[in-house]
Amino acid sequence: MKKFKLLVINPGSTSTKIGVYEAEKLVFEETLRHDVDELSEFDRMIDQLKFRKDIIIDALKKNNVGIESFDAIVGRGGLLKPIEGGTYEVNEEMLKDLQEGSRGEHASNLGAILAYEISKTADGRAFIVDPVVVDELQDVARISGLKEIERKSILHALNQKAVARRYAREQNVKYSDLNLIVAHLGGGISVGAHKKGRVVDVGNALDGEGAFSPERSGGLPVGDLIKLCFSGKYTLDEVKKMIKGNGGLVSYLGTNDAREVVKRIKEGDEYAELIFKAMAYQVAKDIGASAAVLKGDVDQVIITGGIAYDDMFTGWIKEMVSYISGVTIYPGEDELQALAEGGLRVLNNEESPKVYS
């Protein structure tokens, strides 16, 4: 089997992470930091394209990595229209939607465009893998309870799908043959019910649905939220910031750093322990709800993300959900690896690339 060479690109708000892979082996990785003042010169995200591309190419040259050597360039997927999970070949329709930014401005929108632009020089293929807009909800999961509002699927799809596939590989079975519940625990939290390779139920993690997280409020009592919105004390933007950015641990404890909360707990802060335990409690409730979605037929519960490094937090969850199935913990999130694996599945003819339309 040929050892394909890939460049992986993950643009963030003030940085661009790149990785060079030979097959699944990482041979070079760098986080390219961007000065906030430099970025402020650009009105729209798409205006940063040449700036970021030049920095990537310069970093590759400095490390003696030839651009023409890549079989594929894989970028982080952005805010596209809802699509099913998988690896997508970058096409004109995708580029058009990302350049327009009609579904939102986000650094990840540059991933596919950078991959495409560099692929033209490398004479390789350009892909994206499992963007946050992955939508595989079953029809019944879309019903909210109010006709004017439909439930949406926005989740940490790249990491959720990657750890689900990893678990399947370790069990020598196919992801498409398993029923899994995956809880991603990071700055945002998402809990997905994976039925035979599809995330058939999950909340809108971007808006903080479900369990509260370090920065997001989670699902709030609707009546009280309505009163707060119409109290006259807050603007629309202020309420949105309360829910996403200043919610969760930030609201209660003034920090979004779970490690700081653990430190306080170890120093005897009982209130910090209550709030942290409440976050674990809500995650466990979401896992229980996902078990109901899968009618109790759950092969494994998987816990992943940065907070999964903390044994106390994951221990609280396990106490509540171990009756459902076994629990596997994969701490952290290796997004570069997940992107590389998605590109390799296509290059190795393990799956066909999907078409964005």
Side-chain angles (χ1 to χ4, degrees):
M1 184 180 291
K2 181 182 175 181
K3 260 193 174 180
F4 292 106
K5 192 169 181 179
L6 297 90
L7 170 64
V8 177
I9 305 170
N10 185 2
S13 56
T14 58
S15 68
T16 303
K17 294 181 182 178
I18 61 171
V20 174
Y21 286 80
E22 290 181 0
E24 294 183 356
K25 182 183 178 183
L26 177 65
V27 295
F28 165 69
E29 177 183 4
E30 187 168 347
T31 299
L32 308 170
R33 307 288 179 186
H34 310 313
D35 187 87
V36 174
D37 291 335
E38 283 184 303
L39 295 180
S40 66
E41 297 176 7
F42 303 105
D43 293 329
R44 294 188 58 229
M45 196 60 65
I46 187 62
D47 298 333
Q48 298 179 19
L49 177 62
K50 184 178 184 303
F51 168 78
R52 296 214 191 204
K53 179 185 174 183
D54 289 346
I55 288 176
I56 292 170
I57 291 173
D58 186 53
L60 294 172
K61 286 180 179 177
K62 284 180 179 176
N63 287 276
N64 298 313
V65 179
I67 298 171
E68 67 285 346
S69 64
F70 294 116
D71 296 288
I73 295 87
V74 188
R76 181 72 184 268
L79 297 176
L80 296 157
K81 65 186 70 170
I83 53 177
E84 66 179 6
T87 298
Y88 286 76
E89 195 133 19
V90 178
N91 61 13
E92 292 297 331
E93 186 71 17
M94 183 186 297
L95 294 171
K96 177 175 173 290
D97 283 355
L98 291 171
Q99 287 163 351
E100 290 176 353
S102 58
R103 290 174 176 81
E105 292 275 339
H106 193 273
S108 62
N109 288 5
L110 290 169
I113 306 172
L114 285 164
Y116 178 76
E117 288 294 320
I118 295 173
S119 74
K120 290 191 295 186
T121 304
D123 198 27
R125 301 170 73 180
F127 301 116
I128 65 165
V129 182
D130 291 328
V132 295
V133 294
V134 164
D135 183 348
E136 299 169 336
L137 296 186
Q138 53 191 350
D139 289 343
V140 69
R142 299 186 188 281
I143 308 303
S144 71
L146 190 66
K147 191 175 181 180
E148 289 81 0
I149 299 174
E150 182 178 272
R151 291 186 70 240
K152 294 183 177 67
S153 168
I154 300 183
L155 71 154
H156 303 88
L158 184 62
N159 192 41
Q160 282 210 23
K161 292 267 189 180
V163 296
R165 291 189 183 100
R166 174 182 170 183
Y167 176 79
R169 279 197 310 272
E170 291 175 358
Q171 305 306 311
N172 293 313
V173 295
K174 294 179 180 178
Y175 169 44
S176 57
D177 289 337
L178 293 173
N179 287 345
L180 304 168
I181 299 170
V182 184
H184 173 99
L185 314 177
I189 287 176
S190 60
V191 179
H194 295 237
K195 183 177 182 181
K196 309 303 182 189
R198 296 177 65 83
V199 188
V200 297
D201 203 336
V202 70
N204 179 346
L206 185 64
D207 285 345
E209 281 185 22
F212 73 83
S213 77
E215 298 181 345
R216 296 169 190 174
S217 67
L220 297 170
V222 176
D224 291 333
L225 179 60
I226 292 170
K227 290 176 185 176
L228 184 145
C229 290
F230 286 89
S231 66
K233 297 179 182 178
Y234 309 102
T235 65
L236 172 63
D237 286 342
E238 286 171 337
V239 173
K240 288 168 72 174
K241 189 65 175 176
M242 283 181 188
I243 291 171
K244 184 175 64 176
N246 290 336
L249 297 184
V250 173
S251 175
Y252 287 103
L253 301 174
T255 181
N256 64 358
D257 190 339
R259 294 166 299 182
E260 168 64 22
V261 178
V262 171
K263 180 173 176 287
R264 293 186 199 178
I265 293 170
K266 289 179 177 177
E267 292 171 350
D269 188 332
E270 294 181 359
Y271 182 67
E273 182 174 357
L274 172 66
I275 301 305
F276 207 46
K277 185 176 284 187
M279 190 164 77
Y281 174 86
Q282 290 195 5
V283 171
K285 281 176 63 178
D286 285 352
I287 291 171
S290 294
V293 169
L294 298 173
K295 300 178 182 178
D297 181 13
V298 181
D299 292 297
Q300 196 76 355
V301 172
I302 300 172
I303 301 174
T304 186
I307 302 175
Y309 281 108
D310 185 68
D311 293 339
M312 177 174 61
F313 192 84
T314 57
W316 287 331
I317 296 173
K318 287 167 73 174
E319 284 176 10
M320 293 181 65
V321 306
S322 291
Y323 76 95
I324 297 171
S325 72
V327 179
T328 295
I329 299 174
Y330 295 128
E333 51 182 308
D334 194 341
E335 294 174 333
L336 293 182
Q337 182 74 28
L339 290 168
E341 289 173 356
L344 283 168
R345 285 194 295 274
V346 170
L347 294 176
N348 289 324
N349 295 316
E350 295 170 18
E351 64 181 58
S352 299
K354 295 184 176 176
V355 179
Y356 181 82
S357 59

